[in-house]
Amino acid sequence: MDNAAFSITQMRVSYARKEVIKGVSVSIMPNTVTALIGPSGCGKSTFIRSLNRINDLIPSFRISGDIIYRQKDIYDKETDVVELRRRIGMVFQKPNPFPKSIYENIAYGLRIHGLNIKDTIDETVESSLKKAALWDEVKDNLKQNALTLSGGQQQRLCIARTLATQPEVILFDEPCSALDPISTAKIEELIHHLKQSYTIIIVTHNMQQAARVSEYAGFFLLGELIEFGKTQELFTAPKDKRTEDYITGRFG
Amino acid sequence: MKTTTKQKIAFSILFLCTIMVVLPVLFVLGIIIKNGWHGINWQFLTTMPKDGMRGGGIYPAIVGTLYLVSLSIVFSLPIGLLAAIYLNEYAKDNLLTRLIRLAIVNLSGVSSVVYGLFGLALFVTFMKFGVSILSGALTLAIMNLPIVITASREALASVPYSFREVSYSLGLSRWQTIRHSVLPFAIPGILTGAILSLARAAGETAPILFTVAAFYLPKLPDSIFDQAMALPYHLYIISTQIPNISTETRYATALVLVGIVFSMNIIAVVIRARLRKRKKW
């Protein structure tokens, strides 16, 4: 599929000789939400963490296969990893703002990327917070320490921080697992809006969440992608017995 | 025996041991303060020694110690910090790294007189800096490197991994990550370690014995290539080499030295406490 954002063929990942992804092939469509589900330790987090090469930080990490993003091999020696990570943003499981002000959390990345015009930074901070549906709650307290926000607000701040660097893709690694249901609903709504402008891949333990937010879904089990397809089909008419067992709650 | 009785006995033993750690410190401090307090006045702190050091003040020794301590940190902090950054952020866990770490641990166990002789051989003789403030400060800096490196590494390691992860995910390079997402949060810890190392440098005698310390100088040093008097060495000579010196002068000198070391330690503790209060991650 030429118009795919990601084309992945035979991805294999191991940590210190233990294989955790065993030959996964899949295409991810641009401007869609793709949800990855599966029990703990099935490799779904490792999978998305391999797409922005954040796993490179782990010394024992080894990967093989073709992992193509926009016609370019992510793991090619020529690839500019820093630029790649800017284009493929990531929101982590635990909200992790820096212990700085709300404003600084967003502005600091911009400044390091060489943006020095205060008005432009102000505008980007505002527009990012608006896109992350946080602006109305924090606009009067931008100088406040980000750690004083609630967990859900912190996670939306992290999303705003990612949006500010203008990525093309946003990877969500279980973004709601530490949040209460109301905050979760807000983030889901946000993801729904964001897909118009971004390609989104979300790893989640929560199957209702996957069903609610995504158009495509994949089921991982023991390092293999058991099934991948339209979310509706995967949840209503799974082709594989194991997928059916998992989504009906027979294991996992 | 009842469990509660056993517990009480155990508690008492533990408490006694703790007291035994604190008591000598209080005892030493108490004696020094009691005997030295009256010897301390403005004149004692700000004038040159007189009458073969039996009278006058200890001004040059205080100044010498401050010079030595400040110059030594100029060398030890940058080198120690950069080494710590390398070890904590860049070095792979291989044989070389383990050897370096082992060397640092061993360096902190080397006795200070060995550093003194090393400084004499390397800086005074081989590099021809002579017996000078520069040689003494470099010797103290090398002695302090393990402390600075260890404290800086601990400070860097206490910055959560997630800060680095986020930073990389935002498209920051490795150096940008260290510079902007790790170092700022480690600075208070690094400073604490640096000040503690200064306190040690201020109090040591052996490393400065052959590299800088002068028995008596009629004037203050003009440059880093001059010799200098220093408090610990001055205390040593007025206590052992000069007869008929008043007890009060000796104790007052000791009090000034201990006072400098203590205030540095207190500054370090205050910085650390403020850091803990601010730290919420």
Side-chain angles (χ1 to χ4, degrees):
Chain A
M1 280 190 277
D2 290 337
N3 56 348
F6 289 97
S7 304
I8 291 145
T9 328
Q10 283 298 310
M11 183 204 275
R12 289 180 182 277
V13 175
S14 58
Y15 297 122
R17 299 216 186 93
K18 187 180 183 303
E19 198 169 51
V20 289
I21 293 186
K22 302 165 181 170
V24 165
S25 301
V26 67
S27 290
I28 309 275
M29 287 297 155
N31 293 68
T32 57
V33 179
T34 302
L36 303 176
I37 57 169
S40 298
C42 66
K44 57 193 191 304
S45 278
T46 298
F47 176 82
I48 71 161
R49 293 170 62 93
S50 301
L51 300 182
N52 66 342
R53 292 191 56 174
I54 203 84
N55 270 341
D56 288 15
L57 307 183
I58 300 165
S60 63
F61 171 75
R62 297 283 175 277
I63 188 162
S64 68
D66 288 333
I67 296 97
I68 311 291
Y69 172 66
R70 303 268 181 200
Q71 279 86 44
K72 282 202 178 133
D73 189 340
I74 291 176
Y75 283 88
D76 192 276
K77 280 202 181 72
E78 305 287 303
T79 302
D80 179 351
V81 188
V82 172
E83 174 61 13
L84 176 89
R85 292 201 186 112
R86 195 197 55 72
R87 291 169 70 191
I88 305 178
M90 183 165 227
V91 175
F92 296 85
Q93 182 170 0
K94 216 174 136 241
N96 50 8
F98 289 106
K100 303 172 184 250
S101 73
I102 296 169
Y103 180 90
E104 272 304 310
N105 259 281
I106 299 172
Y108 117 108
L110 300 171
R111 264 190 234 116
I112 297 170
H113 286 306
L115 189 61
N116 280 316
I117 309 151
K118 188 172 179 299
D119 289 348
T120 321
I121 295 178
D122 287 351
E123 277 165 33
T124 313
V125 169
E126 179 173 342
S127 68
S128 308
L129 284 170
K130 277 181 176 157
K131 280 187 225 160
L134 189 60
W135 176 250
D136 290 334
E137 291 161 59
V138 301
K139 64 182 175 204
D140 300 323
N141 303 309
L142 291 177
K143 298 272 167 260
Q144 191 185 322
N145 191 316
L147 295 176
T148 58
L149 297 173
S150 74
Q153 288 173 323
Q154 286 187 16
Q155 193 62 301
R156 275 179 284 149
L157 177 63
C158 293
I159 295 174
R161 180 174 64 186
T162 303
L163 294 176
T165 60
Q166 298 179 306
E168 298 153 14
V169 178
I170 306 175
L171 308 170
F172 286 92
D173 189 1
E174 298 182 40
C176 302
S177 60
L179 305 182
D180 64 74
I182 295 168
S183 306
T184 301
K186 279 190 182 148
I187 303 244
E188 284 180 15
E189 200 188 313
L190 181 57
I191 290 173
H192 195 75
H193 284 297
L194 290 175
K195 77 168 186 205
Q196 286 153 13
S197 328
Y198 306 91
T199 303
I200 291 172
I201 307 178
I202 173 169
V203 160
T204 176
H205 268 120
N206 180 330
M207 278 176 281
Q208 286 82 9
Q209 184 172 65
R212 281 193 299 264
V213 299
S214 67
E215 293 138 285
Y216 292 89
F219 170 59
F220 274 84
L221 185 65
L222 301 169
E224 286 176 66
L225 183 59
I226 303 296
E227 190 165 345
F228 187 85
K230 287 228 156 56
T231 302
Q232 212 188 349
E233 286 167 24
L234 189 124
F235 278 97
T236 53
K239 295 188 187 71
D240 195 292
K241 179 81 171 58
R242 288 166 293 181
T243 314
E244 190 184 337
D245 286 349
Y246 184 70
I247 59 180
T248 53
R250 244 165 277 174
F251 72 89
Chain B
M1 206 169 4
K2 271 181 17 193
T3 323
T4 46
T5 324
K6 268 194 210 163
Q7 175 149 318
K8 270 180 193 152
I9 292 171
F11 174 80
S12 311
I13 293 172
L14 294 176
F15 185 71
L16 266 179
C17 290
T18 314
I19 290 293
M20 278 163 70
V21 177
V22 182
L23 270 184
V25 180
L26 293 178
F27 195 62
V28 169
L29 256 189
I31 289 185
I32 294 178
I33 292 175
K34 180 174 164 283
N35 293 318
W37 185 248
H38 295 289
I40 295 206
N41 51 46
W42 192 242
Q43 194 218 353
F44 184 69
L45 295 175
T46 57
T47 60
M48 308 293 283
K50 279 190 304 199
D51 312 329
M53 294 194 263
R54 289 181 190 86
I58 54 165
Y59 184 57
I62 298 178
V63 170
T65 286
L66 292 181
Y67 280 170
L68 279 174
V69 165
S70 355
L71 190 60
S72 82
I73 197 76
V74 170
F75 296 114
S76 64
L77 185 58
I79 298 175
L81 177 56
L82 293 178
I85 290 177
Y86 171 77
L87 284 173
N88 204 58
E89 307 292 327
Y90 285 94
K92 297 202 171 76
D93 189 19
N94 56 26
L95 188 65
L96 177 69
T97 311
R98 266 176 260 166
L99 281 177
I100 295 175
R101 286 187 185 153
L102 189 67
I104 293 168
V105 172
N106 279 325
L107 265 183
S108 58
V110 172
S111 92
S112 56
V113 71
V114 175
Y115 283 106
L117 291 168
F118 172 77
L120 172 68
L122 182 66
F123 302 123
V124 178
T125 312
F126 183 73
M127 293 173 91
K128 299 197 169 59
F129 293 150
V131 177
S132 65
I133 296 181
L134 182 62
S135 298
L138 284 167
T139 310
L140 288 173
I142 290 186
M143 182 191 76
N144 272 337
L145 267 182
I147 306 179
V148 176
I149 294 176
T150 310
S152 303
R153 268 195 64 204
E154 277 167 14
L156 290 169
S158 73
V159 176
Y161 181 69
S162 72
F163 287 19
R164 296 172 176 84
E165 216 173 41
V166 174
S167 187
Y168 287 121
S169 83
L170 293 172
L172 270 61
S173 68
R174 191 167 202 164
W175 174 244
Q176 286 170 332
T177 295
I178 293 168
R179 168 74 187 74
H180 297 282
S181 310
V182 179
L183 255 188
F185 305 105
I187 292 265
I190 293 167
L191 281 184
T192 311
I195 297 171
L196 288 176
S197 80
L198 280 187
R200 183 170 172 221
E204 281 286 352
T205 316
I208 58 171
L209 193 58
F210 323 112
T211 54
V212 52
F215 185 85
Y216 171 73
L217 290 171
K219 64 182 189 67
L220 293 179
D222 293 323
S223 82
I224 55 171
F225 294 102
D226 285 347
Q227 273 187 279
M229 295 174 72
L231 273 176
Y233 184 63
H234 183 70
L235 181 60
Y236 166 71
I237 49 178
I238 60 172
S239 309
T240 58
Q241 315 287 310
I242 300 171
N244 306 327
I245 224 167
S246 78
T247 326
E248 196 175 73
T249 309
R250 285 189 215 149
Y251 274 108
T253 309
L255 182 55
V256 172
L257 176 59
V258 170
I260 290 178
V261 172
F262 259 57
S263 24
M264 282 179 177
N265 286 342
I266 288 169
I267 292 172
V269 169
V270 168
I271 292 182
R272 192 162 48 194
R274 290 183 59 169
L275 152 81
R276 287 218 181 106
K277 223 196 274 176
R278 246 188 29 209
K279 186 158 129 182
K280 288 204 189 93
W281 58 83

